[in-house]
Amino acid sequence: MKPAPFDYVAPTSIDEALSALADAGGGATILAGGQTLMPLLNLRMSQPFIIIDINRIAELKGVTRASGGTRVGPVTRQADALADATLAQHVPVMVEALSHVGHYQTRNRGTVGGSVSLGEPAAEMPATAVALGATIEIRSSKGTRQVPADEFYLGPYMTVLEPDELVTGIIYPDWADGHVTLFREVAQRPGDFALVGMVGALELSGGTVSRSGIAWLGMGPTPIKARQAEAALLGKSLDAIDPLAIAELAVADTAPFDDHHASSEYRRTVGRRIFTRTLREALGLKEAA
Amino acid sequence: MSDHRIELTVNGRKHGGTVEARTSLGEFLREQLGYTGTHLACEHGVCGACTVSVDGAVARSCLMLAVQADGSEVTTVEGLAEADGTLHPVQQAMRDNFGLQCGFCTPGIVITLASLTGEGKEPTEQEMIDAMSGHICRCTGYQGIRRAIRQLTSETA
Amino acid sequence: MNVQLPGAHRYIGERTPRKEDARLLTGRGQFADDVRLAGMLHIAFARSPVARGTITAIDSAAAREVPGVHAIYTQADFSGVALNVMNFFFGPCEAPVTILADGRVSCVGDPVAMVIADSRAIAEDAAALIEIEIDEEDPVITLADARGGAPVHPGKDDNIAQEMGDEDIDEDLQALLDGAAHTITRTIHHQRIAQSPMETRGCVATCDGSEEMTIWISCQSPHLVARYVSLAFNLPETAIRVIAKDVGGGFGLKNFPWREEVAVIAAARLFGRPIKWIEDRFESLTASSHAREQEVTLTIGFDADGKMVGGFGDYSSNNGAFPMGEDCNVAVHMFMWPAYKMPAYGFVSRGWYSNTMGLGGYRGPWAMESLIRETLLDDAAREIGIDPIEIRRKNLIYLTDQPNTTTFGIEVTDITPGECFDKLLANFDVPAFRKEQAESREQGRYLGLGLAAYVEPTAAAGQMAPMTGELATIRIEPTGKVTASLSTHSQGHGTATTMAQVIAERLGVNFEDVTIFEGDSAIGGFSPGAAGSRQAVIAGGAAWTATDMLADKVKEIAAHLYNANAETITIEGGMVHIEGTPEMSHSLREIAEIAYGEPARLPGNTGAGLEAQFRYQPPPFTFTSAAHACVVEVDADTGFVKIQRWISSEDCGTVINPGVVEGQIAGGLAQAIGQVLLEDMPYDARGNPLAATFKDYLMPTISDVPDFEYVHANTPSQTIGGMRGVGEGGAIIGPPTLVNAIADALQPFGQIDLLELPLTPSRILDIVESRDVSGDAAKRAKTEAEAPAEEATAEVASSSGETSIDGAWNMTMKTPAGPQEMVGHFATDGGNVTGKFTSDQGDQEFEGTVEGSRVKFNLDVEQPMKITLKYDLLFEGDGVSGKAKMGMFGSAKTSGTRA
Ligand code: FES
Ligand code: FES
């Protein structure tokens, strides 16, 4: 289980990286934390001509406050993000989700950007970005573009990233102080990808839901935004929310698959349940009689 | 295919070598430097046997290229016991508690627990068990490892 | 003299830390991949991407061009090597096995070509360039496919790899079942398992000149490998040295070298340079031999009281294309009942070929017997309306019931399943649990208690070629330290520790002063190593007696040297003491120096040196008993199972080291938990294995395995030292204990009627929701609709048609060891018949009865074992057909034509 041969460069600036990408003409793969890419290389499921290692690019690391949001450099290690005070304050649900990403040993190298940009549909970081309405900042030697997370994912391990493009930042918009966070996943063992899970945030004002962002993990070929549920929640007062009905709407947006770990019907059934329970608990709603 | 000259410190000793880009850190440690204590049991990042410490943070050496470790300080299982042979407290706890049988998974486990219980750290039993979820042991049913963890918790507390 | 006398220091039974750990904890172990030889080259295999077909072309031109590639071999390159790939019993494989595919591929992962290159990476580069063209055929994947599908091996009539027993229930048994107050039938489908030792298979082989060969291999016994290689290559064994100092787990997978390892050894001989192959995890999961994948249906009749009156089992296993031994696993039936009072039992057992990876060994290979029996007993208790404890107490064997002989003719005299069960219950408050369970249910929490009991045959010796005794050679060196060369092998078993404990205690020396050498065919003598829970029993007995012999020699010498009576001499703490004269203590070193250096001072008939050797041949079987309990909570919302508590009450006789014993039990239990909840190696319809990485093949992690509690009930066995084997028990008793707990928790929702493993969260919701959440029911309906009709099998029935029986008949009996040809001579006289069978084994005469054209007679045979064959033949026209009942081995179909 050894990778096919490749060249390797480790640029120290974004510009260098972009020109290396441009030069490679589509044959390059970006190496960030490597916790997903390296297994693919070792199994020869990925066979790039050149690896562009972005770990030595300082400007791609760290968490900063940006206008109206929090910007996470893609090479920020998951372990560092987990311990980051800014993220804990402004994007708490992302930190909660992060604690379910991989293991202690892999979070030391795994990066937020790597997880976001690879697009594993059952992973926590893509769904979190979609739920919170994050923006993915993408650069190539031709320029910069901003893509909303829910337009970024096309299918399992497929995104809108062009071969010459690099994710240079993930900007999580601010949610009002004290917003409600939603996170729950069902995984067979700690660190496994979820069989099914959900993540999201709600803003309340005057007892009604004024903003909602919710997404599923493991419920389709990409992270799935629960659009119908989000819409149904908007403007609802807490006592008018029927969590089960909202969960039904959320499940209606999904397209889960069967594998030997769980059936699609399982994912729907349990998805509905964890959605209901999470909503109920987060909003302090009483269980229906 | 590119070759790269790298220099790094392993268990306090300086080493250098020329590596193919595709060579993992684990393979480099084993094949070129002879640190065969680091075991490659899956080479896809799940089993944890290959875990080493790189610049103070534990990492899967099968999920890191050797060239990425250029300039790093690496600690492997060979680097834990004292020069006179006294076992590291984690190694001693594993021995006291039958924490290993075949010993193939052991090097990675020892490195993880050593990193968690390093100077000034007082991990809880649950924190250590959580970190252990990144290791697979086929032999022991984890019983002795749990007991070793309890012994370590009471030692550091 | 300032010698500390430790008193009669006991080591046997102590939780002594292991000797092995010092090297393994510091990275100084020596595993196969740690071996580096000058000029060593590396291997990668090119494997079949399809499950079945004929190879039309292999193009390795591009691969040969890769720099660093030295050779590429296909089966044709080995045509000049006379190579005999055998099974574990050193017998021929039914479907001949070549090391690389010979014209056909029979499963995905079938090795087709091997690349020899400077590094594994280069070898993989080249292997990826080898183009294999295959004329693909529809594969036979599942047991259902195998039953009706085209034979996997051309030239065979069907896919039956081996068959034993009789699918027709005999009349007496049928009458018992018909008369039973309750008859319960249950079916289990057990998934395929990947044994997954953490160290994969691996081998380094080198020819040292034309007459010597050294092999480092990840194995379970270097001696067995040496013998196997010698026989397979027809080489004198003395030329072969096999070394396996450290091995990262075997679990049955590494019982003997299989295709790839043999290929590496063949390549080293052919290419003439040291060759290394280290299996990677992808290969290990998809192309190492697998285990389990079985189906069993068991029917048991009970009287109104809940006592068993009779039973019948129908078992099948999916052997794959090239199993490490064609197998219908008759052991499942053999060991189904020794722990219980079962008056009558019939069975049929079949192993089937399919286009999947072949099966190999795995801890507790017959474990299905306990799974189906113990889960059925719980279901029966519920149906009869008694407690699962009561049904076991009514049927379990206690010491007072013995000696007892099972329907299979297995005699048990000292087993304690009943006692273990009672001891278990004494340590678990069942009424308190039932109360908690009832209260929890009120709150929507579902707790369950699982109980199970069994006996396990361990330390088999003397009945199968490789299953022998063990050898211990023990020396007190001139330094006074003790070294022992043993035939044992440890893949984590800790034999270097446990054997040192035995020797230190029996000899009276400090544990630290005893060193064990093993793991090398040049050390010790033949033994199959760790296979069948045997080393503590057999090697323990060998070490025990060899040490006693050595101690006697020391005492004899000391008595002579110091003018004392041998009876008054004791050895303690490495010092030889003479009773009543404490000032007369002498160190072993002092005596050893004389024994080696001045043998003239020794008593007349004692030879020089201080050495003793003993090979221990124990009784054919030594049984271990156990009963386990576990408590689970099932989350009815998600179908997840949390194990809350697990207690083992086992009787493994004399315990040498509880740390090691408990480690063996725990390891087996963890594998059991994996089997019940997580692990699965499924194949798709085209024969692709679907769990090719540890991301998909879910191994139990620390959070899946609870803390286990142990109750040891130590009834010494009849072997030297009184040990009983304990290597496999956890893997045998774990699955039913856990399944029973889950089923108990699910009682408010319903029964598990058909147990399909693993019990994934989806499958648990099937029960909770009483609907097909998992999609299994839909899948089964589809398979049934598509299944080809099974062939009808010939039946033996009375016929009234007149046939002349008298005369000679050419007959064939299908025995498990292969077809047996013979000529039968019959002479009838009214209701009686006399006659004889003539075969290359000689003549055997018989007398029996005739009823119409049906002939019945008994025949006692001595070979291959003492057994009474009960023939029941029906003559019709010029044909004869029927069967011979072979006691514990079921029935052999017998047929023939008039000579
Ligand atoms: S070898 Fe690196 S995690 Fe398994
Ligand atoms: S001790 Fe063998 S795998 Fe852990």
Side-chain angles (χ1 to χ4, degrees), chain A residues 1-2 44 186 189-190 261 263 265-266 269 273 277, chain C residues 124-125 280 637-638 640 696 699 703 769 771 773:
Chain A
M1 208 187 267
K2 310 293 176 195
R44 298 189 180 221
V186 171
R189 303 169 306 174
H261 304 301
S263 64
E265 182 54 24
Y266 175 88
T269 304
R273 242 167 231 159
R277 203 197 288 178
Chain C
E124 285 186 30
D125 295 344
D280 67 28
D637 280 351
T638 60
F640 275 60
D696 273 320
M699 299 275 278
S703 47
E769 316 239 316
R771 65 188 177 100
V773 176

PDB file of all heavy atoms in Angstrom, chain A residues 1-2 44 186 189-190 261 263 265-266 269 273 277, chain C residues 124-125 280 637-638 640 696 699 703 769 771 773:
ATOM      1  N   MET A   1       0.846  -1.192   0.000  1.00  0.00           N
ATOM      2  CA  MET A   1       0.000   0.000   0.000  1.00  0.00           C
ATOM      3  C   MET A   1       0.876   1.235   0.000  1.00  0.00           C
ATOM      4  O   MET A   1       0.994   1.924   0.992  1.00  0.00           O
ATOM      5  CB  MET A   1      -0.890  -0.023   1.251  1.00  0.00           C
ATOM      6  CG  MET A   1      -2.187   0.704   1.068  1.00  0.00           C
ATOM      7  SD  MET A   1      -3.059   0.785   2.637  1.00  0.00           S
ATOM      8  CE  MET A   1      -4.095  -0.656   2.522  1.00  0.00           C
ATOM      9  N   LYS A   2       1.543   1.444  -1.128  1.00  0.00           N
ATOM     10  CA  LYS A   2       2.435   2.599  -1.257  1.00  0.00           C
ATOM     11  C   LYS A   2       1.894   3.486  -2.366  1.00  0.00           C
ATOM     12  O   LYS A   2       1.391   2.992  -3.374  1.00  0.00           O
ATOM     13  CB  LYS A   2       3.855   2.152  -1.626  1.00  0.00           C
ATOM     14  CG  LYS A   2       4.423   1.045  -0.756  1.00  0.00           C
ATOM     15  CD  LYS A   2       4.681   1.474   0.671  1.00  0.00           C
ATOM     16  CE  LYS A   2       5.155   0.293   1.504  1.00  0.00           C
ATOM     17  NZ  LYS A   2       5.088   0.555   2.953  1.00  0.00           N
ATOM     18  N   ARG A  44      -3.688   4.249  -3.659  1.00  0.00           N
ATOM     19  CA  ARG A  44      -3.614   4.590  -5.091  1.00  0.00           C
ATOM     20  C   ARG A  44      -4.985   4.948  -5.664  1.00  0.00           C
ATOM     21  O   ARG A  44      -5.228   4.781  -6.867  1.00  0.00           O
ATOM     22  CB  ARG A  44      -2.955   3.463  -5.904  1.00  0.00           C
ATOM     23  CG  ARG A  44      -1.517   3.224  -5.469  1.00  0.00           C
ATOM     24  CD  ARG A  44      -0.756   2.287  -6.385  1.00  0.00           C
ATOM     25  NE  ARG A  44       0.612   2.146  -5.857  1.00  0.00           N
ATOM     26  CZ  ARG A  44       1.712   2.125  -6.596  1.00  0.00           C
ATOM     27  NH1 ARG A  44       1.641   2.201  -7.901  1.00  0.00           N
ATOM     28  NH2 ARG A  44       2.895   2.021  -6.040  1.00  0.00           N
ATOM     29  N   VAL A 186     -24.951  10.209  15.003  1.00  0.00           N
ATOM     30  CA  VAL A 186     -24.969   8.819  15.407  1.00  0.00           C
ATOM     31  C   VAL A 186     -23.865   8.130  14.610  1.00  0.00           C
ATOM     32  O   VAL A 186     -23.917   8.091  13.383  1.00  0.00           O
ATOM     33  CB  VAL A 186     -26.346   8.209  15.086  1.00  0.00           C
ATOM     34  CG1 VAL A 186     -26.321   6.709  15.292  1.00  0.00           C
ATOM     35  CG2 VAL A 186     -27.413   8.835  15.953  1.00  0.00           C
ATOM     36  N   ARG A 189     -18.641   4.073  16.078  1.00  0.00           N
ATOM     37  CA  ARG A 189     -17.564   4.151  17.055  1.00  0.00           C
ATOM     38  C   ARG A 189     -17.097   5.593  17.104  1.00  0.00           C
ATOM     39  O   ARG A 189     -17.287   6.338  16.125  1.00  0.00           O
ATOM     40  CB  ARG A 189     -16.392   3.255  16.640  1.00  0.00           C
ATOM     41  CG  ARG A 189     -16.756   1.793  16.444  1.00  0.00           C
ATOM     42  CD  ARG A 189     -15.623   1.033  15.779  1.00  0.00           C
ATOM     43  NE  ARG A 189     -15.211   1.680  14.533  1.00  0.00           N
ATOM     44  CZ  ARG A 189     -14.179   1.320  13.793  1.00  0.00           C
ATOM     45  NH1 ARG A 189     -13.438   0.306  14.163  1.00  0.00           N
ATOM     46  NH2 ARG A 189     -13.866   1.970  12.679  1.00  0.00           N
ATOM     47  N   PRO A 190     -16.453   6.023  18.181  1.00  0.00           N
ATOM     48  CA  PRO A 190     -15.957   7.392  18.225  1.00  0.00           C
ATOM     49  C   PRO A 190     -15.021   7.637  17.041  1.00  0.00           C
ATOM     50  O   PRO A 190     -14.189   6.789  16.728  1.00  0.00           O
ATOM     51  CB  PRO A 190     -15.173   7.453  19.540  1.00  0.00           C
ATOM     52  CG  PRO A 190     -15.600   6.276  20.340  1.00  0.00           C
ATOM     53  CD  PRO A 190     -16.113   5.249  19.384  1.00  0.00           C
ATOM     54  N   HIS A 261     -23.263  -0.595   6.636  1.00  0.00           N
ATOM     55  CA  HIS A 261     -23.325  -0.069   8.003  1.00  0.00           C
ATOM     56  C   HIS A 261     -24.744   0.332   8.387  1.00  0.00           C
ATOM     57  O   HIS A 261     -25.146   0.202   9.533  1.00  0.00           O
ATOM     58  CB  HIS A 261     -22.387   1.121   8.159  1.00  0.00           C
ATOM     59  CG  HIS A 261     -20.976   0.800   7.782  1.00  0.00           C
ATOM     60  ND1 HIS A 261     -20.262  -0.188   8.412  1.00  0.00           N
ATOM     61  CD2 HIS A 261     -20.158   1.303   6.817  1.00  0.00           C
ATOM     62  CE1 HIS A 261     -19.053  -0.266   7.864  1.00  0.00           C
ATOM     63  NE2 HIS A 261     -18.971   0.618   6.888  1.00  0.00           N
ATOM     64  N   SER A 263     -28.964   1.141   6.563  1.00  0.00           N
ATOM     65  CA  SER A 263     -29.825   1.261   5.397  1.00  0.00           C
ATOM     66  C   SER A 263     -30.296   2.707   5.268  1.00  0.00           C
ATOM     67  O   SER A 263     -30.218   3.491   6.220  1.00  0.00           O
ATOM     68  CB  SER A 263     -31.044   0.349   5.562  1.00  0.00           C
ATOM     69  OG  SER A 263     -31.819   0.778   6.664  1.00  0.00           O
ATOM     70  N   GLU A 265     -33.311   3.588   4.993  1.00  0.00           N
ATOM     71  CA  GLU A 265     -34.481   3.731   5.853  1.00  0.00           C
ATOM     72  C   GLU A 265     -34.055   3.976   7.299  1.00  0.00           C
ATOM     73  O   GLU A 265     -34.686   4.744   8.016  1.00  0.00           O
ATOM     74  CB  GLU A 265     -35.364   2.468   5.750  1.00  0.00           C
ATOM     75  CG  GLU A 265     -36.646   2.506   6.562  1.00  0.00           C
ATOM     76  CD  GLU A 265     -37.522   3.738   6.287  1.00  0.00           C
ATOM     77  OE1 GLU A 265     -37.418   4.331   5.194  1.00  0.00           O
ATOM     78  OE2 GLU A 265     -38.297   4.108   7.194  1.00  0.00           O
ATOM     79  N   TYR A 266     -32.970   3.339   7.698  1.00  0.00           N
ATOM     80  CA  TYR A 266     -32.437   3.602   9.039  1.00  0.00           C
ATOM     81  C   TYR A 266     -32.050   5.067   9.151  1.00  0.00           C
ATOM     82  O   TYR A 266     -32.375   5.755  10.118  1.00  0.00           O
ATOM     83  CB  TYR A 266     -31.211   2.721   9.317  1.00  0.00           C
ATOM     84  CG  TYR A 266     -30.559   3.044  10.649  1.00  0.00           C
ATOM     85  CD1 TYR A 266     -30.982   2.415  11.810  1.00  0.00           C
ATOM     86  CD2 TYR A 266     -29.540   3.996  10.745  1.00  0.00           C
ATOM     87  CE1 TYR A 266     -30.412   2.730  13.036  1.00  0.00           C
ATOM     88  CE2 TYR A 266     -28.965   4.323  11.959  1.00  0.00           C
ATOM     89  CZ  TYR A 266     -29.402   3.679  13.113  1.00  0.00           C
ATOM     90  OH  TYR A 266     -28.837   4.003  14.322  1.00  0.00           O
ATOM     91  N   THR A 269     -35.126   7.175   9.418  1.00  0.00           N
ATOM     92  CA  THR A 269     -35.840   6.975  10.683  1.00  0.00           C
ATOM     93  C   THR A 269     -35.108   7.631  11.847  1.00  0.00           C
ATOM     94  O   THR A 269     -35.684   8.389  12.627  1.00  0.00           O
ATOM     95  CB  THR A 269     -35.981   5.456  10.961  1.00  0.00           C
ATOM     96  OG1 THR A 269     -36.638   4.865   9.849  1.00  0.00           O
ATOM     97  CG2 THR A 269     -36.747   5.193  12.241  1.00  0.00           C
ATOM     98  N   ARG A 273     -35.621  11.155  14.143  1.00  0.00           N
ATOM     99  CA  ARG A 273     -35.624  11.107  15.604  1.00  0.00           C
ATOM    100  C   ARG A 273     -34.612  12.064  16.224  1.00  0.00           C
ATOM    101  O   ARG A 273     -34.934  12.789  17.162  1.00  0.00           O
ATOM    102  CB  ARG A 273     -35.253   9.686  16.024  1.00  0.00           C
ATOM    103  CG  ARG A 273     -36.335   9.046  16.775  1.00  0.00           C
ATOM    104  CD  ARG A 273     -36.080   7.582  16.908  1.00  0.00           C
ATOM    105  NE  ARG A 273     -37.266   6.901  16.477  1.00  0.00           N
ATOM    106  CZ  ARG A 273     -37.313   5.656  16.083  1.00  0.00           C
ATOM    107  NH1 ARG A 273     -36.219   4.927  16.045  1.00  0.00           N
ATOM    108  NH2 ARG A 273     -38.448   5.131  15.738  1.00  0.00           N
ATOM    109  N   ARG A 277     -35.430  15.297  18.501  1.00  0.00           N
ATOM    110  CA  ARG A 277     -34.944  15.373  19.875  1.00  0.00           C
ATOM    111  C   ARG A 277     -34.021  16.583  20.072  1.00  0.00           C
ATOM    112  O   ARG A 277     -34.100  17.294  21.069  1.00  0.00           O
ATOM    113  CB  ARG A 277     -34.180  14.076  20.200  1.00  0.00           C
ATOM    114  CG  ARG A 277     -34.111  13.788  21.696  1.00  0.00           C
ATOM    115  CD  ARG A 277     -33.045  12.769  22.009  1.00  0.00           C
ATOM    116  NE  ARG A 277     -33.401  11.416  21.580  1.00  0.00           N
ATOM    117  CZ  ARG A 277     -32.574  10.372  21.722  1.00  0.00           C
ATOM    118  NH1 ARG A 277     -31.368  10.529  22.234  1.00  0.00           N
ATOM    119  NH2 ARG A 277     -32.936   9.172  21.331  1.00  0.00           N
TER     120      ARG A 277
ATOM    121  N   GLU C 124       4.788  -2.439  -6.425  1.00  0.00           N
ATOM    122  CA  GLU C 124       3.390  -2.046  -6.627  1.00  0.00           C
ATOM    123  C   GLU C 124       3.224  -1.239  -7.920  1.00  0.00           C
ATOM    124  O   GLU C 124       2.227  -1.395  -8.623  1.00  0.00           O
ATOM    125  CB  GLU C 124       2.884  -1.208  -5.443  1.00  0.00           C
ATOM    126  CG  GLU C 124       2.602  -2.056  -4.208  1.00  0.00           C
ATOM    127  CD  GLU C 124       1.967  -1.253  -3.071  1.00  0.00           C
ATOM    128  OE1 GLU C 124       1.240  -0.273  -3.347  1.00  0.00           O
ATOM    129  OE2 GLU C 124       2.212  -1.610  -1.908  1.00  0.00           O
ATOM    130  N   ASP C 125       4.203  -0.376  -8.209  1.00  0.00           N
ATOM    131  CA  ASP C 125       4.141   0.380  -9.473  1.00  0.00           C
ATOM    132  C   ASP C 125       4.014  -0.591 -10.649  1.00  0.00           C
ATOM    133  O   ASP C 125       3.192  -0.406 -11.552  1.00  0.00           O
ATOM    134  CB  ASP C 125       5.414   1.216  -9.692  1.00  0.00           C
ATOM    135  CG  ASP C 125       5.593   2.320  -8.649  1.00  0.00           C
ATOM    136  OD1 ASP C 125       4.602   2.643  -7.955  1.00  0.00           O
ATOM    137  OD2 ASP C 125       6.721   2.840  -8.536  1.00  0.00           O
ATOM    138  N   ASP C 280      -0.124  -5.957   2.826  1.00  0.00           N
ATOM    139  CA  ASP C 280      -0.642  -4.690   3.340  1.00  0.00           C
ATOM    140  C   ASP C 280      -2.076  -4.896   3.820  1.00  0.00           C
ATOM    141  O   ASP C 280      -2.656  -5.978   3.659  1.00  0.00           O
ATOM    142  CB  ASP C 280      -0.478  -3.544   2.329  1.00  0.00           C
ATOM    143  CG  ASP C 280      -1.329  -3.701   1.078  1.00  0.00           C
ATOM    144  OD1 ASP C 280      -2.399  -4.336   1.143  1.00  0.00           O
ATOM    145  OD2 ASP C 280      -0.924  -3.165   0.027  1.00  0.00           O
ATOM    146  N   ASP C 637     -34.289   4.180  20.179  1.00  0.00           N
ATOM    147  CA  ASP C 637     -34.378   5.222  19.155  1.00  0.00           C
ATOM    148  C   ASP C 637     -33.377   5.001  18.029  1.00  0.00           C
ATOM    149  O   ASP C 637     -33.669   5.234  16.863  1.00  0.00           O
ATOM    150  CB  ASP C 637     -34.096   6.599  19.778  1.00  0.00           C
ATOM    151  CG  ASP C 637     -35.325   7.141  20.489  1.00  0.00           C
ATOM    152  OD1 ASP C 637     -36.407   6.529  20.335  1.00  0.00           O
ATOM    153  OD2 ASP C 637     -35.198   8.150  21.195  1.00  0.00           O
ATOM    154  N   THR C 638     -32.173   4.581  18.407  1.00  0.00           N
ATOM    155  CA  THR C 638     -31.113   4.488  17.402  1.00  0.00           C
ATOM    156  C   THR C 638     -30.688   3.057  17.112  1.00  0.00           C
ATOM    157  O   THR C 638     -29.941   2.819  16.166  1.00  0.00           O
ATOM    158  CB  THR C 638     -29.850   5.234  17.882  1.00  0.00           C
ATOM    159  OG1 THR C 638     -29.407   4.630  19.106  1.00  0.00           O
ATOM    160  CG2 THR C 638     -30.137   6.708  18.127  1.00  0.00           C
ATOM    161  N   PHE C 640     -28.705   1.367  18.992  1.00  0.00           N
ATOM    162  CA  PHE C 640     -27.337   1.161  19.493  1.00  0.00           C
ATOM    163  C   PHE C 640     -27.358   0.341  20.774  1.00  0.00           C
ATOM    164  O   PHE C 640     -28.282   0.438  21.571  1.00  0.00           O
ATOM    165  CB  PHE C 640     -26.647   2.511  19.738  1.00  0.00           C
ATOM    166  CG  PHE C 640     -26.019   3.052  18.491  1.00  0.00           C
ATOM    167  CD1 PHE C 640     -26.788   3.321  17.373  1.00  0.00           C
ATOM    168  CD2 PHE C 640     -24.648   3.268  18.422  1.00  0.00           C
ATOM    169  CE1 PHE C 640     -26.214   3.802  16.204  1.00  0.00           C
ATOM    170  CE2 PHE C 640     -24.070   3.747  17.262  1.00  0.00           C
ATOM    171  CZ  PHE C 640     -24.847   4.015  16.153  1.00  0.00           C
ATOM    172  N   ASP C 696     -14.045   0.676   6.761  1.00  0.00           N
ATOM    173  CA  ASP C 696     -15.265  -0.075   6.470  1.00  0.00           C
ATOM    174  C   ASP C 696     -15.358  -1.372   7.250  1.00  0.00           C
ATOM    175  O   ASP C 696     -16.451  -1.873   7.484  1.00  0.00           O
ATOM    176  CB  ASP C 696     -15.345  -0.380   4.971  1.00  0.00           C
ATOM    177  CG  ASP C 696     -16.003   0.769   4.232  1.00  0.00           C
ATOM    178  OD1 ASP C 696     -16.977   1.324   4.756  1.00  0.00           O
ATOM    179  OD2 ASP C 696     -15.521   1.114   3.143  1.00  0.00           O
ATOM    180  N   MET C 699     -13.391  -2.650  13.431  1.00  0.00           N
ATOM    181  CA  MET C 699     -12.794  -3.405  14.538  1.00  0.00           C
ATOM    182  C   MET C 699     -13.253  -2.781  15.850  1.00  0.00           C
ATOM    183  O   MET C 699     -13.374  -1.559  15.950  1.00  0.00           O
ATOM    184  CB  MET C 699     -11.271  -3.305  14.443  1.00  0.00           C
ATOM    185  CG  MET C 699     -10.699  -3.878  13.167  1.00  0.00           C
ATOM    186  SD  MET C 699     -10.444  -5.641  13.279  1.00  0.00           S
ATOM    187  CE  MET C 699      -8.862  -5.662  14.128  1.00  0.00           C
ATOM    188  N   SER C 703     -13.862   1.810  23.282  1.00  0.00           N
ATOM    189  CA  SER C 703     -15.176   2.218  23.772  1.00  0.00           C
ATOM    190  C   SER C 703     -16.252   1.176  23.486  1.00  0.00           C
ATOM    191  O   SER C 703     -17.368   1.292  23.970  1.00  0.00           O
ATOM    192  CB  SER C 703     -15.568   3.559  23.153  1.00  0.00           C
ATOM    193  OG  SER C 703     -15.338   3.518  21.782  1.00  0.00           O
ATOM    194  N   GLU C 769     -39.143  -1.764  15.668  1.00  0.00           N
ATOM    195  CA  GLU C 769     -40.226  -1.150  14.910  1.00  0.00           C
ATOM    196  C   GLU C 769     -41.140  -2.184  14.247  1.00  0.00           C
ATOM    197  O   GLU C 769     -42.089  -1.789  13.555  1.00  0.00           O
ATOM    198  CB  GLU C 769     -39.641  -0.246  13.816  1.00  0.00           C
ATOM    199  CG  GLU C 769     -38.494   0.599  14.316  1.00  0.00           C
ATOM    200  CD  GLU C 769     -38.741   2.076  14.171  1.00  0.00           C
ATOM    201  OE1 GLU C 769     -39.234   2.474  13.097  1.00  0.00           O
ATOM    202  OE2 GLU C 769     -38.452   2.811  15.129  1.00  0.00           O
ATOM    203  N   ARG C 771     -40.717  -3.744  11.556  1.00  0.00           N
ATOM    204  CA  ARG C 771     -40.797  -3.533  10.110  1.00  0.00           C
ATOM    205  C   ARG C 771     -39.393  -3.663   9.540  1.00  0.00           C
ATOM    206  O   ARG C 771     -38.422  -3.763  10.287  1.00  0.00           O
ATOM    207  CB  ARG C 771     -41.408  -2.167   9.769  1.00  0.00           C
ATOM    208  CG  ARG C 771     -40.562  -1.002  10.225  1.00  0.00           C
ATOM    209  CD  ARG C 771     -41.285   0.346  10.052  1.00  0.00           C
ATOM    210  NE  ARG C 771     -40.440   1.410  10.575  1.00  0.00           N
ATOM    211  CZ  ARG C 771     -39.681   2.203   9.831  1.00  0.00           C
ATOM    212  NH1 ARG C 771     -39.674   2.086   8.519  1.00  0.00           N
ATOM    213  NH2 ARG C 771     -38.928   3.129  10.384  1.00  0.00           N
ATOM    214  N   VAL C 773     -36.676  -2.175   8.568  1.00  0.00           N
ATOM    215  CA  VAL C 773     -35.839  -0.974   8.509  1.00  0.00           C
ATOM    216  C   VAL C 773     -34.540  -1.260   7.772  1.00  0.00           C
ATOM    217  O   VAL C 773     -34.059  -0.467   6.970  1.00  0.00           O
ATOM    218  CB  VAL C 773     -35.531  -0.452   9.937  1.00  0.00           C
ATOM    219  CG1 VAL C 773     -34.576   0.733   9.888  1.00  0.00           C
ATOM    220  CG2 VAL C 773     -36.814  -0.081  10.657  1.00  0.00           C
TER     221      VAL C 773
END
